[in-house]
Amino acid sequence: MYFAALLARTEDGWEASDTELDDVETLSDLADLARAASPDEDTVLVLIEQEDAWFGVFRVDGEEDPRIYVSDAAAAARSSYGEILLTDELLGRDPDDGDVLDALDLDGTEDGEAAEDDDDAEDGAGTAGSAESVPHGPVGDALILDDLGVSEKELRLMSTDAVTEIAESLGASETLETVR
């Protein structure tokens, strides 16, 4: 179970809308969704929370590059919504590394032959795209909300109900409750 909300900053304060992410497949789709919420190119936040396992903050300010923070990358990697946020850049991976390694036959067998010890391959260190290369803990821009009154330290300490805590810090808790 997840909850996603979109908070758009306007002249009159924050406006919230419940955000359905079923049609969002890429980071570009998410950026388009966020930008559509603010025709005046104001700050827009997409807050995603999954059953106390992890939360993510996605921020766009006009046409600037999006900024992302994820509280627990390993937990988010097990979620289709988390996978949208966990870009190679965010994880510090070279996007080409996985493609090159995936294209190579590194098990020493010819095409069509079975590897002698498949268990070793499954228990091994893995490739650049494996879940093992995703760190446990936070990744991304921990200063994403700093200019809005949520410090890096506060953001890193949030856990079970982070979306509500963020909304309270922004003065948007009543607005958020209308869509929760």
Side-chain angles (χ1 to χ4, degrees), residues 24-93:
V24 174
E25 295 179 7
T26 66
L27 207 54
S28 292
D29 292 344
L30 188 58
D32 291 344
L33 177 75
R35 287 187 177 108
S38 179
D40 296 330
E41 297 188 1
D42 291 320
T43 299
V44 178
L45 303 173
V46 179
L47 306 173
I48 304 170
E49 184 174 70
Q50 187 166 11
E51 290 188 355
D52 302 333
W54 66 275
F55 71 91
V57 180
F58 179 84
R59 176 178 177 167
V60 292
D61 294 291
E63 292 300 317
E64 291 182 28
D65 286 341
R67 296 166 59 192
I68 304 167
Y69 175 82
V70 176
S71 66
D72 186 338
R78 294 186 294 270
S79 159
S80 59
Y81 302 114
E83 286 179 348
I84 293 169
L85 298 175
L86 295 174
T87 63
D88 287 329
E89 181 181 348
L90 190 70
L91 296 172
R93 298 189 298 213

Side-chain angles (χ1 to χ4, degrees), residues 117-127 130 132:
D117 196 331
D118 287 333
D119 291 340
D120 287 345
E122 291 174 16
D123 295 337
T127 63
S130 74
E132 293 177 19

